[in-house]
Coordinates of all heavy atoms in Angstrom, one line a residue:
M260 N 0.9 -1.2 0.0 CA 0.0 0.0 0.0 C 0.9 1.2 0.0 O 1.8 1.3 0.8 CB -0.9 0.0 1.2 CG -1.7 1.2 1.4 SD -2.8 1.5 2.8 CE -2.8 -0.1 3.7
V261 N 0.6 2.2 -0.9 CA 1.3 3.4 -0.9 C 0.4 4.6 -0.4 O -0.8 4.6 -0.6 CB 1.8 3.7 -2.3 CG1 0.7 3.9 -3.3 CG2 2.7 5.0 -2.3
I262 N 1.0 5.4 0.4 CA 0.2 6.5 1.0 C 0.6 7.8 0.3 O 1.8 8.2 0.3 CB 0.5 6.5 2.5 CG1 0.1 5.3 3.2 CG2 -0.2 7.8 3.0 CD1 0.4 5.2 4.6
A263 N -0.4 8.5 -0.2 CA -0.2 9.8 -0.9 C -1.1 10.8 -0.1 O -2.1 10.5 0.5 CB -0.6 9.8 -2.3
N264 N -0.7 12.1 -0.2 CA -1.4 13.2 0.3 C -1.2 14.5 -0.6 O -0.1 14.9 -0.7 CB -1.0 13.5 1.7 CG -1.8 14.6 2.4 OD1 -2.4 15.4 1.7 ND2 -1.7 14.7 3.7
T265 N -2.3 14.8 -1.2 CA -2.3 16.0 -2.2 C -2.6 17.3 -1.6 O -2.5 18.3 -2.3 CB -3.1 15.7 -3.3 OG1 -4.5 15.6 -2.9 CG2 -2.7 14.4 -4.1
K266 N -3.0 17.4 -0.3 CA -3.5 18.6 0.3 C -2.4 19.6 0.3 O -2.6 20.9 0.1 CB -3.9 18.4 1.7 CG -4.7 19.5 2.2 CD -5.3 19.1 3.6 CE -6.1 20.3 4.1 NZ -6.8 20.0 5.4
G267 N -1.1 19.3 0.4 CA 0.0 20.2 0.4 C 0.1 20.9 -1.0 O 0.7 21.9 -1.0
F268 N -0.4 20.3 -2.0 CA -0.4 20.9 -3.3 C -1.7 21.7 -3.6 O -1.7 22.7 -4.3 CB -0.2 19.8 -4.4 CG 1.1 19.2 -4.4 CD1 1.2 17.8 -4.2 CD2 2.3 19.9 -4.7 CE1 2.4 17.1 -4.1 CE2 3.5 19.3 -4.6 CZ 3.6 17.9 -4.4
T269 N -2.8 21.2 -3.2 CA -4.1 21.7 -3.5 C -4.8 22.6 -2.4 O -5.6 23.4 -2.8 CB -5.1 20.5 -3.9 OG1 -5.3 19.8 -2.6 CG2 -4.6 19.7 -5.0
G270 N -4.4 22.5 -1.2 CA -5.0 23.3 -0.1 C -6.3 22.9 0.1 O -6.8 21.7 -0.1
H271 N -7.1 23.8 0.8 CA -8.5 23.5 1.1 C -9.4 23.8 -0.1 O -9.7 25.0 -0.4 CB -9.0 24.3 2.3 CG -8.3 23.9 3.6 ND1 -8.7 22.9 4.3 CD2 -7.3 24.5 4.3 CE1 -7.8 22.8 5.4 NE2 -7.0 23.8 5.3
S272 N -9.9 22.8 -0.8 CA -10.7 23.1 -2.0 C -12.1 23.2 -1.6 O -13.0 23.6 -2.5 CB -10.5 22.0 -3.0 OG -10.8 20.8 -2.4
M273 N -12.6 23.0 -0.4 CA -14.0 23.2 0.1 C -15.1 22.6 -0.9 O -15.8 23.4 -1.5 CB -14.2 24.7 0.3 CG -13.3 25.3 1.3 SD -13.4 24.6 3.0 CE -15.0 25.3 3.5
G274 N -15.2 21.4 -0.9 CA -16.3 20.7 -1.6 C -16.0 20.3 -3.0 O -16.8 19.7 -3.6
V275 N -14.8 20.7 -3.6 CA -14.5 20.3 -4.9 C -13.7 18.9 -4.7 O -12.8 18.7 -3.9 CB -13.5 21.3 -5.5 CG1 -13.2 20.9 -6.9 CG2 -14.3 22.6 -5.6
G276 N -14.0 17.9 -5.6 CA -13.5 16.7 -5.5 C -12.1 16.5 -6.1 O -11.8 15.6 -6.9
V277 N -11.2 17.4 -5.9 CA -9.8 17.3 -6.5 C -9.2 16.0 -6.1 O -8.6 15.3 -7.0 CB -8.9 18.5 -6.1 CG1 -7.6 18.4 -6.5 CG2 -9.6 19.8 -6.5
E278 N -9.3 15.6 -4.9 CA -8.6 14.3 -4.4 C -9.3 13.1 -5.1 O -8.6 12.1 -5.5 CB -8.8 14.1 -3.0 CG -8.0 15.2 -2.2 CD -8.8 16.4 -1.8 OE1 -9.9 16.5 -2.3 OE2 -8.3 17.3 -1.1
D279 N -10.6 13.2 -5.4 CA -11.3 12.1 -6.1 C -10.7 12.0 -7.5 O -10.4 10.9 -8.1 CB -12.8 12.3 -6.2 CG -13.4 12.1 -4.9 OD1 -13.0 11.1 -4.1 OD2 -14.4 13.0 -4.5
V280 N -10.5 13.1 -8.3 CA -10.0 13.0 -9.6 C -8.6 12.6 -9.6 O -8.2 11.7 -10.4 CB -10.1 14.5 -10.2 CG1 -9.4 14.5 -11.5 CG2 -11.4 14.9 -10.4
L281 N -7.8 13.0 -8.6 CA -6.4 12.5 -8.5 C -6.4 11.0 -8.3 O -5.5 10.2 -8.8 CB -5.6 13.3 -7.5 CG -5.3 14.7 -7.8 CD1 -4.8 15.5 -6.6 CD2 -4.4 14.8 -9.0
A282 N -7.3 10.5 -7.5 CA -7.3 9.1 -7.2 C -7.7 8.2 -8.4 O -7.0 7.2 -8.7 CB -8.3 8.8 -6.1
V283 N -8.6 8.7 -9.2 CA -9.1 8.0 -10.4 C -8.0 8.1 -11.5 O -7.6 7.1 -12.1 CB -10.4 8.7 -11.0 CG1 -10.6 8.2 -12.4 CG2 -11.6 8.4 -10.0
K284 N -7.3 9.2 -11.6 CA -6.2 9.3 -12.5 C -5.0 8.5 -12.1 O -4.3 7.9 -13.0 CB -5.8 10.8 -12.7 CG -6.8 11.6 -13.4 CD -7.0 11.1 -14.8 CE -7.9 11.9 -15.6 NZ -8.2 11.3 -17.0
A285 N -4.8 8.3 -10.9 CA -3.7 7.4 -10.4 C -4.1 6.0 -10.8 O -3.2 5.2 -11.2 CB -3.5 7.5 -8.8
L286 N -5.3 5.6 -10.7 CA -5.7 4.3 -11.1 C -5.6 4.1 -12.6 O -5.2 3.1 -13.1 CB -7.2 4.0 -10.7 CG -7.3 3.8 -9.2 CD1 -8.8 3.7 -8.9 CD2 -6.6 2.6 -8.6
E287 N -5.9 5.2 -13.4 CA -6.0 5.1 -14.8 C -4.6 5.0 -15.4 O -4.3 4.2 -16.2 CB -6.6 6.3 -15.3 CG -6.7 6.4 -16.9 CD -7.3 7.6 -17.5 OE1 -7.6 8.5 -16.7 OE2 -7.4 7.7 -18.7
F288 N -3.6 5.8 -14.8 CA -2.3 5.9 -15.4 C -1.2 5.1 -14.5 O -0.1 4.9 -14.9 CB -1.8 7.3 -15.6 CG -2.6 8.0 -16.6 CD1 -3.6 9.0 -16.2 CD2 -2.4 7.8 -17.9 CE1 -4.4 9.6 -17.2 CE2 -3.2 8.5 -18.9 CZ -4.1 9.4 -18.5
G289 N -1.5 4.7 -13.3 CA -0.6 4.0 -12.5 C 0.5 4.9 -12.0 O 1.6 4.5 -11.5
T290 N 0.2 6.2 -11.9 CA 1.2 7.2 -11.5 C 0.6 7.9 -10.2 O -0.6 8.4 -10.4 CB 1.4 8.2 -12.6 OG1 1.9 7.6 -13.7 CG2 2.5 9.3 -12.1
V291 N 1.2 7.8 -9.1 CA 0.8 8.4 -7.9 C 1.5 9.6 -7.6 O 2.9 9.6 -7.7 CB 1.0 7.3 -6.7 CG1 0.5 7.9 -5.4 CG2 0.2 6.1 -7.1
P292 N 0.9 10.8 -7.2 CA 1.7 12.0 -7.0 C 2.5 11.8 -5.6 O 2.1 11.1 -4.8 CB 0.6 13.0 -6.8 CG -0.7 12.3 -6.4 CD -0.5 10.9 -7.1
P293 N 3.5 12.6 -5.5 CA 4.3 12.6 -4.2 C 3.6 13.5 -3.2 O 2.7 14.2 -3.4 CB 5.6 13.3 -4.7 CG 5.1 14.3 -5.7 CD 4.1 13.6 -6.5
I294 N 4.0 13.2 -2.0 CA 3.6 14.0 -0.9 C 4.4 15.3 -1.0 O 5.6 15.2 -1.3 CB 3.9 13.3 0.5 CG1 3.0 12.1 0.6 CG2 3.7 14.2 1.7 CD1 3.3 11.2 1.8
A295 N 3.8 16.4 -0.8 CA 4.5 17.7 -1.0 C 5.7 17.7 -0.1 O 5.7 17.4 1.1 CB 3.5 18.8 -0.6
N296 N 6.8 18.2 -0.7 CA 8.1 18.4 0.0 C 8.8 17.1 0.5 O 9.7 17.3 1.4 CB 8.0 19.5 1.1 CG 7.4 20.7 0.5 OD1 8.0 21.2 -0.4 ND2 6.5 21.3 1.3
I297 N 8.4 16.0 0.1 CA 8.9 14.7 0.6 C 10.4 14.5 0.3 O 11.1 13.9 1.0 CB 8.1 13.5 0.1 CG1 8.5 12.3 1.0 CG2 8.4 13.2 -1.3 CD1 7.5 11.1 0.9
N298 N 10.9 15.1 -0.8 CA 12.2 14.9 -1.2 C 13.1 16.1 -0.7 O 14.3 16.2 -1.0 CB 12.4 14.9 -2.7 CG 11.7 13.6 -3.2 OD1 11.8 12.5 -2.5 ND2 11.0 13.6 -4.3
D299 N 12.6 17.1 -0.1 CA 13.3 18.3 0.4 C 13.7 18.2 1.8 O 13.3 19.0 2.7 CB 12.5 19.5 0.2 CG 12.2 19.8 -1.2 OD1 13.0 19.3 -2.1 OD2 11.3 20.5 -1.5
G300 N 14.5 17.1 2.2 CA 14.9 16.9 3.6 C 13.8 16.4 4.5 O 13.8 16.5 5.7
F301 N 12.7 15.8 3.9 CA 11.6 15.4 4.7 C 11.9 14.1 5.5 O 12.6 13.2 5.0 CB 10.5 14.9 3.7 CG 9.3 14.3 4.3 CD1 8.3 15.1 4.9 CD2 9.2 12.9 4.4 CE1 7.2 14.5 5.5 CE2 8.0 12.3 4.9 CZ 7.0 13.1 5.4
E302 N 11.7 14.2 6.8 CA 11.9 13.1 7.7 C 10.6 12.6 8.3 O 10.0 13.4 9.1 CB 12.9 13.5 8.8 CG 14.2 14.0 8.2 CD 15.4 13.2 8.7 OE1 15.2 12.3 9.5 OE2 16.5 13.5 8.2
P303 N 10.1 11.5 7.9 CA 8.9 11.0 8.6 C 9.0 10.8 10.0 O 10.0 10.5 10.6 CB 8.5 9.7 7.9 CG 9.7 9.4 7.0 CD 10.7 10.5 7.0
D304 N 7.9 11.0 10.8 CA 7.8 10.8 12.2 C 8.1 9.4 12.5 O 7.3 8.5 12.0 CB 6.5 11.3 12.7 CG 6.3 11.2 14.3 OD1 7.1 10.5 14.9 OD2 5.5 11.9 14.8
P305 N 9.1 9.0 13.3 CA 9.4 7.6 13.6 C 8.3 6.9 14.3 O 8.1 5.6 14.2 CB 10.6 7.6 14.4 CG 10.8 9.0 14.9 CD 10.0 9.9 13.9
E306 N 7.3 7.6 14.9 CA 6.2 7.1 15.6 C 5.2 6.5 14.6 O 4.3 5.6 15.0 CB 5.5 8.1 16.5 CG 6.3 8.6 17.7 CD 6.4 7.5 18.7 OE1 5.6 6.8 19.0 OE2 7.6 7.4 19.2
L307 N 5.3 6.8 13.3 CA 4.3 6.3 12.3 C 4.7 4.9 11.9 O 4.0 4.3 11.2 CB 4.3 7.3 11.1 CG 3.7 8.6 11.4 CD1 3.7 9.5 10.2 CD2 2.3 8.6 11.9
G308 N 5.9 4.5 12.2 CA 6.3 3.1 11.8 C 6.9 3.1 10.4 O 7.4 4.1 9.9
D309 N 6.7 2.0 9.7 CA 7.3 1.8 8.4 C 6.3 2.0 7.3 O 5.9 1.1 6.6 CB 7.9 0.4 8.3 CG 8.8 0.2 7.3 OD1 9.4 1.2 6.7 OD2 9.1 -1.0 6.9
L310 N 5.8 3.2 7.2 CA 4.7 3.5 6.1 C 5.4 3.7 4.7 O 6.5 4.2 4.7 CB 4.0 4.7 6.4 CG 3.2 4.8 7.7 CD1 2.6 6.1 8.0 CD2 2.1 3.7 7.7
N311 N 4.8 3.2 3.7 CA 5.2 3.4 2.4 C 4.7 4.8 1.8 O 3.6 4.8 1.2 CB 4.8 2.2 1.5 CG 5.3 2.3 0.1 OD1 6.3 3.1 -0.2 ND2 4.7 1.5 -0.8
L312 N 5.4 5.9 2.1 CA 4.9 7.2 1.6 C 5.3 7.4 0.2 O 6.4 7.1 -0.2 CB 5.5 8.2 2.5 CG 5.3 8.1 4.0 CD1 6.0 9.2 4.8 CD2 3.7 8.1 4.3
S313 N 4.4 8.0 -0.6 CA 4.7 8.2 -2.1 C 5.8 9.3 -2.3 O 5.6 10.3 -1.7 CB 3.4 8.6 -2.7 OG 3.7 8.9 -4.0
H314 N 6.7 8.9 -3.1 CA 7.7 9.8 -3.5 C 7.3 10.2 -5.0 O 8.1 11.0 -5.6 CB 9.1 9.2 -3.5 CG 9.6 9.0 -2.1 ND1 10.5 10.0 -1.6 CD2 9.4 8.1 -1.2 CE1 10.7 9.6 -0.3 NE2 10.1 8.4 -0.1
G315 N 6.2 9.8 -5.4 CA 5.7 10.1 -6.8 C 6.3 9.1 -7.8 O 7.4 8.6 -7.6
G316 N 5.5 8.8 -8.8 CA 5.9 7.9 -9.8 C 5.0 6.8 -10.1 O 3.8 6.8 -9.6
L317 N 5.5 5.7 -10.8 CA 4.7 4.6 -11.1 C 4.6 3.7 -9.8 O 5.6 3.3 -9.2 CB 5.3 3.9 -12.3 CG 5.3 4.6 -13.6 CD1 6.0 3.7 -14.7 CD2 3.9 4.9 -14.1
Y318 N 3.4 3.2 -9.6 CA 3.0 2.2 -8.6 C 1.9 1.3 -9.1 O 1.1 1.8 -9.9 CB 2.5 2.9 -7.3 CG 3.5 3.7 -6.5 CD1 3.7 5.1 -6.7 CD2 4.3 3.1 -5.5 CE1 4.6 5.8 -6.1 CE2 5.1 3.8 -4.7 CZ 5.4 5.1 -5.1 OH 6.3 5.9 -4.3
P319 N 2.0 0.0 -8.8 CA 0.9 -1.0 -9.3 C -0.3 -0.9 -8.5 O -0.7 -1.7 -7.7 CB 1.7 -2.3 -9.1 CG 2.6 -2.1 -7.9 CD 3.1 -0.6 -8.0
V320 N -1.0 0.3 -8.7 CA -2.2 0.5 -7.8 C -3.5 -0.2 -8.5 O -3.6 -0.2 -9.7 CB -2.5 2.0 -7.6 CG1 -1.5 2.6 -6.7 CG2 -2.6 2.8 -9.0
E321 N -4.2 -0.8 -7.7 CA -5.4 -1.4 -8.0 C -6.7 -0.8 -7.3 O -7.8 -0.9 -7.9 CB -5.5 -2.9 -7.8 CG -4.5 -3.7 -8.7 CD -4.5 -5.2 -8.3 OE1 -5.6 -5.7 -8.3 OE2 -3.4 -5.8 -8.2
Y322 N -6.4 -0.3 -6.2 CA -7.5 0.4 -5.4 C -7.0 1.8 -4.9 O -5.8 2.0 -4.8 CB -7.9 -0.3 -4.2 CG -8.5 -1.8 -4.5 CD1 -7.7 -2.9 -4.7 CD2 -9.9 -1.9 -4.7 CE1 -8.2 -4.1 -4.9 CE2 -10.4 -3.1 -4.9 CZ -9.6 -4.2 -5.0 OH -10.2 -5.4 -5.4
A323 N -8.0 2.7 -4.8 CA -7.6 4.0 -4.2 C -8.7 4.2 -3.1 O -9.9 4.2 -3.3 CB -7.6 5.1 -5.2
L324 N -8.2 4.5 -1.9 CA -9.1 4.8 -0.8 C -8.9 6.3 -0.4 O -7.8 6.7 -0.2 CB -8.8 3.9 0.4 CG -9.7 4.2 1.7 CD1 -11.2 4.0 1.4 CD2 -9.2 3.4 2.8
R325 N -10.0 7.1 -0.5 CA -9.8 8.5 -0.3 C -10.6 8.8 1.0 O -11.7 8.5 1.1 CB -10.4 9.3 -1.4 CG -9.7 10.7 -1.3 CD -10.4 11.9 -1.7 NE -11.7 12.2 -1.7 CZ -12.4 13.0 -0.9 NH1 -11.7 13.6 0.1 NH2 -13.6 13.3 -1.1
L326 N -9.9 9.5 1.9 CA -10.5 9.9 3.2 C -10.6 11.5 3.1 O -9.7 12.2 2.9 CB -9.6 9.5 4.4 CG -10.0 10.1 5.8 CD1 -11.3 9.6 6.2 CD2 -8.9 9.8 6.8
G327 N -11.8 11.9 3.5 CA -12.0 13.4 3.6 C -12.7 13.7 5.0 O -13.7 13.1 5.3
A328 N -12.0 14.5 5.7 CA -12.5 14.9 7.0 C -12.7 16.4 7.0 O -11.8 17.2 6.4 CB -11.5 14.5 8.1
G329 N -13.8 16.9 7.6 CA -14.0 18.3 7.6 C -14.4 18.8 8.9 O -14.4 18.1 9.9
F330 N -14.8 20.1 9.0 CA -15.2 20.8 10.2 C -16.4 20.1 10.7 O -17.2 19.7 10.0 CB -15.4 22.2 9.9 CG -14.2 22.9 9.3 CD1 -14.1 23.4 8.1 CD2 -13.0 23.1 10.1 CE1 -13.1 24.0 7.5 CE2 -11.9 23.8 9.6 CZ -11.9 24.2 8.3
G331 N -16.6 20.1 12.0 CA -17.8 19.6 12.7 C -17.8 18.1 12.6 O -18.9 17.5 12.6
S332 N -16.7 17.4 12.7 CA -16.6 16.0 12.6 C -17.2 15.3 11.4 O -17.7 14.2 11.4 CB -17.3 15.4 13.9 OG -16.7 15.9 15.0
Q333 N -17.2 16.0 10.3 CA -17.7 15.4 9.0 C -16.6 14.5 8.5 O -15.4 14.8 8.5 CB -18.0 16.4 8.0 CG -19.1 17.4 8.4 CD -19.2 18.6 7.4 OE1 -18.8 18.4 6.3 NE2 -19.8 19.6 7.9
I334 N -17.0 13.3 8.0 CA -16.0 12.3 7.4 C -16.6 11.6 6.3 O -17.8 11.2 6.4 CB -15.4 11.4 8.6 CG1 -14.2 10.7 8.0 CG2 -16.5 10.5 9.1 CD1 -13.4 10.0 9.0
A335 N -15.8 11.4 5.3 CA -16.3 10.6 4.1 C -15.2 9.7 3.6 O -14.0 10.3 3.6 CB -16.8 11.5 3.1
M336 N -15.4 8.5 3.2 CA -14.4 7.8 2.6 C -15.0 7.2 1.2 O -16.2 6.9 1.1 CB -14.1 6.5 3.5 CG -13.4 6.9 4.7 SD -13.0 5.5 5.8 CE -11.4 5.3 5.4
T337 N -14.2 7.3 0.3 CA -14.5 6.7 -1.1 C -13.5 5.7 -1.5 O -12.3 5.9 -1.4 CB -14.5 7.9 -2.1 OG1 -15.3 8.9 -1.6 CG2 -15.2 7.4 -3.4
L338 N -13.9 4.6 -1.9 CA -13.1 3.5 -2.4 C -13.3 3.3 -3.9 O -14.4 3.1 -4.3 CB -13.3 2.1 -1.6 CG -12.5 0.9 -2.1 CD1 -11.1 1.2 -1.8 CD2 -13.1 -0.3 -1.4
F339 N -12.2 3.4 -4.6 CA -12.2 3.3 -6.1 C -11.5 2.0 -6.4 O -10.5 1.7 -5.8 CB -11.6 4.4 -6.8 CG -12.2 5.8 -6.6 CD1 -11.7 6.6 -5.7 CD2 -13.4 6.1 -7.3 CE1 -12.3 7.8 -5.4 CE2 -13.9 7.3 -7.1 CZ -13.5 8.2 -6.2
R340 N -11.9 1.2 -7.4 CA -11.2 0.0 -7.9 C -10.9 0.2 -9.4 O -11.8 0.6 -10.2 CB -12.1 -1.2 -7.7 CG -11.4 -2.5 -8.1 CD -12.3 -3.7 -7.8 NE -13.6 -3.6 -8.3 CZ -13.9 -4.4 -9.4 NH1 -13.1 -5.4 -9.9 NH2 -15.2 -4.3 -9.9
K341 N -9.8 -0.2 -9.7 CA -9.4 -0.1 -11.2 C -10.0 -1.3 -11.9 O -10.0 -2.4 -11.5 CB -7.8 -0.3 -11.2 CG -7.4 -0.2 -12.7 CD -5.8 -0.3 -12.7 CE -5.4 -0.2 -14.1 NZ -3.8 0.0 -14.2
I342 N -10.6 -0.9 -13.1 CA -11.2 -1.9 -13.9 C -10.5 -1.7 -15.2 O -10.7 -0.7 -16.0 CB -12.7 -1.6 -14.2 CG1 -13.4 -1.8 -12.8 CG2 -13.3 -2.6 -15.1 CD1 -14.9 -1.5 -12.8
P343 N -9.6 -2.7 -15.6 CA -8.8 -2.6 -16.9 C -9.8 -2.4 -18.1 O -10.9 -3.1 -18.1 CB -8.1 -3.9 -16.9 CG -8.0 -4.4 -15.5 CD -9.3 -3.9 -14.9
G344 N -9.5 -1.7 -19.0 CA -10.3 -1.5 -20.1 C -9.6 -0.9 -21.3 O -8.3 -0.9 -21.5
V345 N -10.3 -0.3 -22.2 CA -9.8 0.3 -23.5 C -8.8 1.4 -23.2 O -7.7 1.4 -23.9 CB -11.0 0.8 -24.3 CG1 -10.4 1.5 -25.6 CG2 -11.9 -0.3 -24.7
A346 N -9.1 2.3 -22.3 CA -8.1 3.4 -22.0 C -6.8 2.9 -21.6 O -5.8 3.4 -22.1 CB -8.7 4.3 -20.8
E347 N -6.7 1.9 -20.8 CA -5.4 1.3 -20.4 C -4.7 0.7 -21.6 O -3.5 0.8 -21.7 CB -5.7 0.2 -19.3 CG -4.4 -0.4 -18.8 CD -4.6 -1.4 -17.8 OE1 -5.1 -2.4 -18.1 OE2 -4.4 -1.1 -16.6
K348 N -5.4 0.0 -22.4 CA -4.7 -0.6 -23.6 C -4.2 0.4 -24.6 O -3.2 0.1 -25.3 CB -5.8 -1.5 -24.3 CG -6.1 -2.8 -23.5 CD -7.3 -3.5 -24.2 CE -7.8 -4.6 -23.3 NZ -8.9 -5.3 -24.0
N349 N -4.7 1.6 -24.7 CA -4.3 2.6 -25.6 C -3.3 3.5 -25.0 O -2.8 4.5 -25.8 CB -5.5 3.4 -26.1 CG -6.4 2.6 -26.9 OD1 -6.0 1.7 -27.6 ND2 -7.7 2.9 -27.0
Q350 N -2.8 3.3 -23.8 CA -1.8 4.2 -23.2 C -0.4 3.9 -23.7 O -0.2 2.8 -24.1 CB -1.7 4.0 -21.7 CG -2.9 4.5 -20.9 CD -2.8 4.2 -19.4 OE1 -1.7 3.5 -19.1 NE2 -3.7 4.6 -18.6
P351 N 0.4 5.0 -23.9 CA 1.8 4.7 -24.3 C 2.4 3.7 -23.3 O 2.0 3.8 -22.1 CB 2.4 6.2 -24.2 CG 1.2 7.1 -24.3 CD 0.1 6.4 -23.7
S352 N 3.4 3.0 -23.7 CA 3.9 2.0 -22.8 C 4.6 2.5 -21.6 O 4.6 2.0 -20.6 CB 5.0 1.2 -23.6 OG 6.1 2.0 -24.0
H353 N 5.2 3.8 -21.6 CA 5.7 4.4 -20.4 C 4.8 4.8 -19.3 O 5.1 5.1 -18.2 CB 6.7 5.5 -20.8 CG 6.0 6.7 -21.3 ND1 5.5 6.8 -22.6 CD2 5.7 7.9 -20.6 CE1 4.9 8.0 -22.7 NE2 5.0 8.7 -21.6
L354 N 3.5 4.8 -19.7 CA 2.4 5.2 -18.8 C 1.7 4.0 -18.3 O 0.7 4.1 -17.5 CB 1.4 6.2 -19.4 CG 1.9 7.6 -19.7 CD1 0.9 8.4 -20.4 CD2 2.5 8.3 -18.5
R355 N 1.8 2.8 -18.8 CA 1.1 1.7 -18.4 C 1.6 1.3 -17.0 O 2.7 1.4 -16.7 CB 1.4 0.5 -19.4 CG 0.7 0.7 -20.7 CD 0.7 -0.5 -21.6 NE 0.3 -0.1 -23.0 CZ 0.9 -0.4 -24.0 NH1 1.9 -1.3 -24.0 NH2 0.4 0.0 -25.2
P356 N 0.6 0.7 -16.2 CA 1.0 0.3 -14.9 C 2.0 -0.8 -14.9 O 2.1 -1.6 -15.9 CB -0.3 -0.2 -14.3 CG -1.4 0.4 -15.1 CD -0.8 0.6 -16.5
L357 N 2.8 -0.9 -13.8 CA 3.8 -2.0 -13.7 C 3.1 -3.3 -13.6 O 2.1 -3.5 -13.0 CB 4.6 -1.7 -12.4 CG 5.4 -0.4 -12.4 CD1 6.1 -0.3 -11.0 CD2 6.4 -0.3 -13.5
A358 N 3.7 -4.3 -14.2 CA 3.2 -5.7 -14.0 C 3.3 -6.2 -12.6 O 4.3 -6.0 -12.0 CB 3.9 -6.6 -15.1
G359 N 2.3 -6.8 -12.1 CA 2.4 -7.3 -10.7 C 2.4 -8.6 -10.5 O 2.4 -9.7 -10.7

């Protein structure tokens, strides 16, 4: 499982499904965005354990789980599943997901 967080790039979009679009595109192209500033001296908190944080690039993703939490204890989770199809077959070879 790879963990990505796009909020550092997009900020508070207040009701716009930017994260949903990014999750669907990650499934479509097999490319996951990096966590903002992860390569600029980023040191993960050792209390988090051995998490697989995204440095950006190709990952063999089949599912995307998106968590949205808001003011007033609002919370929503969306689970997307990749369904191979025509779009995947027509992608240039450098954009195709890694074989798993």
Side-chain angles (χ1 to χ4, degrees):
M260 175 181 353
V261 63
I262 299 170
N264 182 342
T265 59
K266 191 172 183 179
F268 294 117
T269 62
H271 293 280
S272 55
M273 300 298 287
V275 179
V277 174
E278 294 91 354
D279 290 318
V280 172
L281 290 169
V283 169
K284 290 300 182 180
L286 291 172
E287 180 181 4
F288 293 106
T290 303
V291 178
I294 294 174
N296 303 314
I297 195 165
N298 295 321
D299 297 335
F301 176 81
E302 303 241 354
D304 186 337
E306 294 291 321
L307 295 176
D309 197 19
L310 298 177
N311 184 16
L312 302 176
S313 175
H314 288 265
L317 295 175
Y318 289 90
V320 291
E321 294 183 42
Y322 294 91
L324 177 64
R325 203 216 20 115
L326 167 69
F330 301 110
S332 300
Q333 300 173 22
I334 190 165
M336 294 179 101
T337 309
L338 178 64
F339 298 99
R340 179 173 62 106
K341 181 179 184 168
I342 300 175
V345 176
E347 182 179 70
K348 292 176 187 173
N349 292 331
Q350 288 177 358
S352 60
H353 70 283
L354 292 179
R355 290 190 191 138
L357 301 173

